[in-house]
Amino acid sequence: QVQLVESGGGLVQAGGSLRLSCAASGRTFSSYTMGWFRQAPGKERELVAAMRWSAAIYYTYYTDSVKGRFTISRDNAKNTVYLQMNSLKPEDTAVYYCAAGRTGTPYLGPYEYWGQGTQVTVSS
């Protein structure tokens, strides 16, 4: 059974940092497209960052609002994907979800597997 489990969320002051982790189990995800989404209250879910494997190279995507502040990375030996979030702003407050799509899945999906989400709250 495939599972994605996020961790690392919490409460942080503006300007602070958090690192989210997404531990995958049930299969090897090294060539899967991995994405981090977020959903704030009253807003639609949005793609924050993604990493896609193609021709032995990992390509990354970031939404404009997080470029230069967030970094997506992965440790295939641990079957884990990370989202390093620096210079956090109150508008980054949301539930963050990890998602996995089969090899070749575009950044925007569709993603096949989803985690349960982790809350990130940034105070001003």
Side-chain angles (χ1 to χ4, degrees):
Q1 184 176 356
V2 174
Q3 269 194 317
L4 301 178
V5 179
E6 302 100 332
S7 61
L11 173 64
V12 64
Q13 286 189 330
S17 298
L18 284 173
R19 189 178 79 156
L20 305 183
S21 299
C22 172
S25 61
R27 66 174 66 231
T28 300
F29 285 83
S30 59
S31 65
Y32 272 48
T33 298
M34 302 297 295
W36 284 99
F37 290 77
R38 68 185 178 188
Q39 187 165 21
K43 294 188 176 182
E44 292 188 356
R45 185 175 62 194
E46 66 167 338
L47 176 64
V48 175
M51 181 176 281
R52 180 172 179 267
W53 185 90
S54 178
I57 297 174
Y58 286 112
Y59 297 89
T60 57
Y61 163 89
Y62 298 94
T63 193
D64 285 346
S65 62
V66 308
K67 284 181 181 177
R69 300 190 298 123
F70 290 11
T71 303
I72 187 172
S73 62
R74 63 201 299 164
D75 184 339
N76 290 330
K78 297 181 179 179
N79 233 16
T80 300
V81 177
Y82 304 97
L83 185 67
Q84 178 68 43
M85 305 186 296
N86 298 329
S87 302
L88 282 162
K89 304 175 180 180
E91 51 264 43
D92 295 318
T93 295
V95 178
Y96 283 72
Y97 298 90
C98 172
R102 293 184 183 272
T103 305
T105 297
Y107 294 133
L108 292 177
Y111 288 83
E112 187 169 354
Y113 306 105
W114 292 83
Q116 83 289 350
T118 185
Q119 176 70 46
V120 172
T121 302
V122 184
S123 63
S124 57

